[in-house]
Amino acid sequence: MTVIGVLIIAVALIAVITLAKAVRIVPQQRQDVVERLGKYKRTLSPGLNLLVPFIDAVRTKVDMREQVVSFPPQPVITSDNLVVSIDTVLYFKVVDSVRATYEISSFLQAIEQLTVTTLRNVIGSLDLERALTSRDEINRHLSGVLDETTGRWGIKVTRVEIKAIEPPASIRDSMEKQMRAERDRRAAILTAEGHKQSQILTAEGEKQSAVLRADGDRQARILQAEGQAKAIRTVFDAIHQANPSQKVLAYQYLQALPQIAQGSANKVWIVPAELTKALEGMGGALGGLSQMVGDLPAPEAADHASQVEREAAEAAQAAAAAAQQIHDEVRVAEAQATGGNKPQGLPAPEPVSPDSLVNDPTDERERG
């Protein structure tokens, strides 16, 4: 009974092992390469598969998904003899599991060595500056070379990326100094351009301001001149329309003479000898106001005439005082100029009395 039990257990165990070897479940995105007696038989697709127990065996299990491999940094020498460290990332997928199994023993190691070799060939033909700025070109070249070589292995290289290119520490310091100097130069250029634009705008503003100020001054002078011309024209027309007599003009001159003498700039006056005669002539003209035709006062204007005569007398007195003061100043100036000696020149005019300016002796003789 014991021997029979052992046999039954052994048969059951063999049946279980046989069933386990005969049934193979393959997951999605994986292919199993099956060999029969050491020779390739078939490739198992995802799902339930049956094998011949103890005859068929699975050689490899190939993952058909896209895979990512990051290779360690590799030292590469550039064309200008600088050693840089390059870190790469490779994206690939197996498209033919049979060739990936039988064409090469270890396709991952082969891809890594091929990547390093190709990268050294590409970087060796470039200088450091071009290598740092030509990553896309390097990636395309690597991808083309790897895809062409690994195609016969049943592997498709989809993408190659360079993660980092690390130059030596001394080169990094030099590059940082160069970039700092370049930024300083650009900042200085921008500052100078801003200062230049500021000065240009300031000069343009001052120019426009000066032009506008000059134009305003010109317009003001033109308007002032036009106003003065209009005022002179108005006064001239008013004088011609009023048709004043010589006596009125003489009276106006007598009124303006004290104001002329009171000017702050009138320090020294040169009084001609004929001034007395001129004043006497104006006095005679004022005295003969009542004898001229058309200037006789009306009976009802007697009061007004007497007021005019008083004003004329006051004006004559003021003119005589101004003339006497001017005469005295001229004498003092001559004495100072000659050092006290009496100058030889024209005789001094006789002093003029205010009555002689108002009452002309000729008019008195005519009235007598």
Side-chain angles (χ1 to χ4, degrees):
M1 292 297 294
T2 303
V3 176
I4 296 174
V6 172
L7 290 175
I8 294 174
I9 293 173
V11 171
L13 183 59
I14 293 173
V16 170
I17 293 174
T18 302
L19 182 62
K21 288 184 173 292
V23 177
R24 178 70 62 175
I25 298 176
V26 180
Q28 186 67 30
Q29 290 295 325
R30 199 186 79 180
Q31 290 182 356
D32 293 349
V33 177
V34 177
E35 292 180 350
R36 177 170 293 179
L37 300 177
K39 183 181 180 179
Y40 170 74
K41 177 62 178 178
R42 63 191 179 101
T43 302
L44 300 181
S45 59
L48 180 62
N49 296 273
L50 297 177
L51 300 177
V52 178
F54 306 105
I55 297 178
D56 295 340
V58 176
R59 170 69 182 272
T60 58
K61 299 177 181 179
V62 181
D63 191 350
M64 304 300 293
R65 295 174 296 177
E66 186 174 2
Q67 303 180 38
V68 181
V69 179
S70 178
F71 300 130
Q74 298 294 329
V76 181
I77 301 177
T78 61
S79 61
D80 49 356
N81 297 325
L82 293 176
V83 179
V84 295
S85 179
I86 300 180
D87 191 4
T88 57
V89 178
L90 180 66
Y91 297 83
F92 71 95
K93 65 183 300 185
V94 178
V95 295
D96 191 342
S97 58
V98 177
R99 286 194 293 178
T101 303
Y102 294 103
E103 293 291 336
I104 191 169
S105 61
S106 177
F107 60 85
L108 285 178
Q109 184 178 2
I111 291 175
E112 179 181 0
Q113 296 300 322
L114 181 61
T115 301
V116 172
T117 304
T118 307
L119 189 61
R120 288 178 177 176
N121 292 333
V122 174
I123 298 299
S125 61
L126 303 175
D127 56 4
L128 178 61
E129 184 176 359
R130 188 178 176 186
L132 293 174
T133 58
S134 303
R135 293 193 178 188
D136 293 337
E137 181 181 355
I138 297 172
N139 293 336
R140 287 194 300 269
H141 189 76
L142 282 175
S143 179
V145 172
L146 292 175
D147 189 38
E148 181 181 359
T149 304
T150 60
R152 64 178 181 267
W153 300 339
I155 298 172
K156 173 68 174 176
V157 177
T158 58
R159 191 172 183 178
V160 180
E161 290 290 341
I162 296 178
K163 290 196 302 183
I165 300 177
E166 296 293 338
S170 59
I171 301 300
R172 287 198 300 268
D173 295 338
S174 300
M175 293 173 62
E176 289 178 359
K177 292 179 181 179
Q178 181 180 2
M179 292 302 297
R180 191 179 300 109
E182 181 68 21
R183 290 191 181 95
D184 293 340
R185 183 182 68 85
R186 292 179 182 177
I189 292 175
L190 292 177
T191 302
E193 288 290 336
H195 186 61
K196 174 184 175 182
Q197 292 295 330
S198 175
Q199 290 183 343
I200 291 174
L201 293 177
T202 302
E204 288 290 337
E206 292 177 354
K207 175 184 175 182
Q208 294 180 3
S209 176
V211 170
L212 293 177
R213 192 180 299 109
D215 186 68
D217 189 15
R218 181 178 65 87
Q219 293 292 336
R221 290 177 180 270
I222 292 174
L223 293 177
Q224 185 178 3
E226 291 178 353
Q228 292 179 356
K230 186 175 180 181
I232 293 172
R233 191 181 303 111
T234 303
V235 173
F236 185 76
D237 294 340
I239 291 173
H240 278 275
Q241 291 178 4
N243 193 16
S245 62
Q246 295 294 331
K247 292 175 284 187
V248 175
L249 295 177
Y251 175 66
Q252 293 293 330
Y253 180 78
L254 287 176
Q255 286 184 336
L257 187 59
Q259 297 179 0
I260 296 174
Q262 291 176 0
S264 60
N266 298 330
K267 300 301 181 183
V268 178
W269 282 63
I270 299 175
V271 182
E274 291 81 2
L275 178 60
T276 306
K277 295 180 179 181
L279 294 175
E280 291 177 356
M282 287 185 291
L286 291 173
L289 290 175
S290 60
Q291 300 296 330
M292 294 186 65
V293 180
D295 290 335
L296 294 175
E300 60 274 7
D303 296 336
H304 181 68
S306 62
Q307 183 179 358
V308 171
E309 289 178 0
R310 288 194 302 270
E311 292 179 356
E314 294 175 357
Q317 291 177 1
Q324 186 64 33
Q325 182 180 359
I326 294 170
H327 177 71
D328 296 338
E329 292 179 357
V330 170
R331 289 303 179 186
V332 172
E334 289 178 353
Q336 292 177 356
T338 58
N341 297 324
K342 184 176 181 180
Q344 300 295 329
L346 296 174
E350 297 179 357
V352 182
S353 63
D355 295 336
S356 64
L357 297 177
V358 180
N359 299 321
D360 190 359
T362 305
D363 294 339
E364 292 295 334
R365 286 195 299 267
E366 289 178 357
R367 288 195 186 96

